Amino acid sequence: ERVLDSIVVRFDLQELYEKKTRFHTYQQVRDFLTITDRDDGTFAISYKAEEDPELASAVANEFFNELYGLAIDVNRAKVSKYRSYLENSYNSGEEKLQVLLDQFKSFQDSTGVISLENQVHASLGGLAEIESEKMKNQIELEYLMMTLKSGDPQIVDIRNRITAIDDELNKYIATGKYSNIPILEIPKLSIQYMNMYREVEVQVKIV
């Protein structure tokens, strides 16, 4: 009715059609108005006023202008609403990202996992180094036992060295001497780290 009201007032159609109410004027205008949809998605507007073709043309043009302006207002409202939605989504995404980053930082602080790949490499590299040292001493012990008596000082010494290496190995596995990550904790911490890292990466791409 907004468009109809504007047309009725602009061309004083209530008086022209001698209608007592605006409602009856609207009905008369609707009877004279024809809007036809075209195949190309546009539409045509015509208005019947046989005794006054200039009025018919003017009313039809005014209808077009009013409907076009209404369409622009509707689209503008949609754009504004969509922009508001995007802004809210962006702000919400940034807040979620900050929460994930805080959680990730807390995880790193509490577990010592800073760079998983480098730390695991350091842990396993240190473990391999200790086990390699133990194997060397075991090979030497086997050789000495073939040539010396079991109570020989050299054999006693190398057995003590192997015992000390075993102690160091057990301590290393439990504490993670080279990377602050205990070997036994690597599988569990790796899963936690990768899950949190993935969540952060996904949220970064969204934002």
Side-chain angles (χ1 to χ4, degrees):
E1 291 188 0
R2 165 187 153 182
V3 174
L4 278 173
D5 193 61
S6 176
I7 299 294
V8 168
V9 171
R10 180 178 293 273
F11 295 98
D12 199 14
L13 297 181
Q14 185 171 341
E15 182 176 344
L16 178 65
Y17 297 136
E18 299 179 349
K19 301 298 181 180
K20 293 182 179 180
T21 66
R22 185 67 59 85
F23 174 76
H24 291 96
T25 306
Y26 290 162
Q27 288 182 318
Q28 183 68 72
V29 172
R30 288 192 182 99
D31 289 340
F32 289 158
L33 178 68
T34 301
I35 300 178
T36 306
D37 291 326
R38 293 172 174 167
D39 293 337
D40 61 1
T42 61
F43 60 89
I45 298 176
S46 61
Y47 192 77
K48 183 179 179 182
E50 295 178 353
E51 297 180 0
D52 192 346
E54 290 185 3
L55 175 65
S57 176
V59 171
N61 287 333
E62 191 62 25
F63 262 112
F64 176 83
N65 292 334
E66 287 288 338
L67 292 174
Y68 182 74
L70 181 62
I72 290 177
D73 289 343
V74 170
N75 287 334
R76 186 181 294 117
K78 287 182 178 179
V79 169
S80 177
K81 186 176 181 180
Y82 183 61
R83 183 174 63 245
S84 178
Y85 170 77
L86 288 179
E87 289 174 351
N88 290 336
S89 297
Y90 178 79
N91 291 335
S92 176
E94 284 221 315
E95 290 174 3
K96 184 176 181 180
L97 176 59
Q98 189 57 54
V99 170
L100 290 174
L101 289 173
D102 291 342
Q103 291 175 345
F104 193 48
K105 180 66 166 55
S106 177
F107 171 80
Q108 290 178 313
D109 291 341
S110 62
T111 62
V113 179
I114 306 301
S115 176
L116 181 64
E117 183 178 355
N118 293 334
Q119 288 176 277
V120 169
H121 180 75
S123 292
L124 297 181
L127 180 64
E129 188 177 318
I130 297 173
E131 289 183 332
S132 175
E133 185 65 23
K134 179 181 177 180
M135 289 180 64
K136 290 179 183 178
N137 280 275
Q138 286 176 328
I139 292 171
E140 185 178 352
L141 175 62
E142 290 174 2
Y143 172 77
L144 291 176
M145 290 183 67
M146 290 187 297
T147 59
L148 301 174
K149 295 181 179 181
S150 60
D152 189 276
Q154 291 186 61
I155 292 179
V156 172
D157 179 64
I158 199 167
R159 280 177 172 166
N160 288 336
R161 275 189 279 161
I162 292 173
T163 299
I165 291 174
D166 281 335
D167 290 341
E168 183 181 2
L169 189 60
N170 291 332
K171 183 179 179 182
Y172 179 80
I173 291 174
T175 62
K177 176 181 176 182
Y178 291 91
S179 70
N180 297 324
I181 303 180
I183 298 296
L184 298 177
E185 293 293 316
I186 286 178
K188 181 179 72 175
L189 292 176
S190 295
I191 293 173
Q192 291 177 313
Y193 179 91
M194 293 308 298
N195 284 339
M196 298 187 77
Y197 184 81
R198 176 181 57 81
E199 288 184 356
V200 169
E201 285 295 299
V202 168
Q203 195 61 36
V204 166
K205 293 183 183 298
I206 292 175
V207 173

